[in-house]
Each structure stands twice: as C-alpha cells, then as structure tokens.
Amino acid sequence: MRRSARRRRTVSAYREDGRTVVLLPARMSEAEERRWVGLMLEKLARQEKRRRPTDEVLAERAGRLSAQFLGGRARPDSVRWVTNQNTRWGSCTPAEGSIRLSHRLQGMPEYVVDYVLLHELAHLLVPGHGPRFWELLEAYPRTERARGYLEGVAATARLPHTVDGDEEDEDESGGRAGG
C-alpha cells in the first residue's frame, strides 16, 4: 500500500513486478483501508480474468485471424500460452504446427496480441523473415502500431525505475540526471 497526502478521495490499484500496489489517501482509517484493498483486489482479479483468454479461446482467435488475413491457409495444431518465454513474444514450430505465445502478452491490447498471433501464423506458411513473410503481414492494418507498442514495452523494461516518485536517477558517472 502506498499512502499519499495529495490523494483525497480516490483509490486505485495495479500490478507491478508481480506485486499489487494499492494507492490510498493518507487519512484513510485502517478499517477503510482493509475494505478498499479487498475491493481493489477483486476488481483487479476480474480485469485480469477478462484479459487472459484460455488456450482454447486463443486457438479460436488464431482460426479467425488466419481466415481473415491469410485466406485460412495457416492451420496450427496447437496454440497456447506459455510462461517460459521471457525474451520472445511468441514462437512457432512449423513442423509440429505449434504456436506458443508468451504470458507477458496477457493484458496487452488485443491488436498487439493479434499481431503476435498473426506473426506466428505466418510462420506456418513461411518459416523465415524474408520478403514473402512480411508480405503476408501487410494485410493486417495494425502491424506497425503493434510492433511499435512491443518495442516500447521492451525499451521500458531496460530503463531504470524511479522509487517513490523520485524522478531523478543517477547516471553512470554518479551525477544526477533530471527526469
């Protein structure tokens, strides 16, 4: 929990690095705090459940994307979420017809998940990243936007994080860098 003297009435919550952060007004009583924490945890759980489609839903989504953008030619044997992909957004094994998407995509905008799924579907038709591969993805209107989003997420993960609202970080020389 993070209390703030500037926060007067609102309560909010989010997940950060595997933890739940609840932002509360500083003057809130312990009883109110317990009530609000419970409510916010329930709200986050509902939101996450809506954002995490099952493997079956993911497979149906792949079928719709293949039909819409690839003429139904990409037919995976399996499509599933995995938790062991921390350096890739997705992977495909054309010989097995299997597609795996990183759990890190869960909760990202649908157009981003669709792009990664479509990217892996295209690999069922063209294994590498040559011109024929990229021609397949041209049909998806949000390719560049999704790629930019993923690049931004990856870049953000490499940035130093601020602590308790401190917007300045030490640079490599030990000096202060304004934020």
Side-chain angles (χ1 to χ4, degrees):
M1 267 125 348
R2 292 184 188 159
R3 291 181 173 266
S4 169
R6 292 188 307 189
R7 187 176 284 269
R8 300 282 179 213
R9 291 182 286 253
T10 62
V11 176
S12 61
Y14 59 93
R15 304 271 193 218
E16 179 180 77
D17 298 326
R19 293 183 168 173
T20 302
V21 177
V22 180
L23 305 170
L24 304 161
R27 294 186 209 170
M28 188 172 278
S29 71
E30 285 185 36
E32 288 177 305
E33 176 183 306
R34 281 191 301 276
R35 183 176 81 81
W36 275 106
V37 167
L39 288 170
M40 297 312 286
L41 289 174
E42 289 173 14
K43 182 179 178 179
L44 281 174
R46 282 192 310 272
Q47 288 174 344
E48 289 168 349
K49 187 175 181 181
R50 281 194 306 268
R51 286 187 224 157
R52 287 192 191 137
T54 63
D55 290 350
E56 293 77 24
V57 170
L58 199 57
E60 290 170 13
R61 193 172 183 173
R64 285 193 306 273
L65 288 167
S66 176
Q68 185 176 359
F69 297 104
L70 302 172
R73 294 178 294 143
R75 295 186 192 103
D77 291 326
S78 69
V79 182
R80 61 191 173 96
W81 295 107
V82 294
T83 57
N84 63 348
Q85 287 190 6
N86 295 313
T87 59
R88 301 172 172 226
W89 298 114
S91 63
C92 174
T93 307
E96 297 174 6
S98 64
I99 292 175
R100 294 158 307 281
L101 296 189
S102 172
H103 73 286
R104 296 177 304 135
L105 290 165
Q106 294 174 332
M108 288 190 187
E110 286 188 16
Y111 74 91
V112 174
V113 176
D114 284 351
Y115 164 74
V116 175
L117 191 49
L118 191 59
H119 182 106
E120 301 310 330
L121 285 165
H123 279 308
L124 292 175
L125 304 174
V126 179
H129 288 105
R132 282 188 53 232
F133 173 82
W134 293 111
E135 285 172 17
L136 291 173
L137 292 179
E138 284 178 5
Y140 185 62
R142 293 182 144 182
T143 293
E144 289 306 314
R145 184 174 180 190
R147 290 184 67 176
Y149 185 97
L150 293 170
E151 287 172 11
V153 169
T156 300
R158 293 187 296 267
L159 291 176
H161 296 283
T162 61
V163 179
D164 295 329
D166 180 11
E167 294 183 9
E168 295 183 335
D169 291 305
E170 284 193 15
D171 64 20
E172 291 176 5
S173 66
R176 304 292 283 183

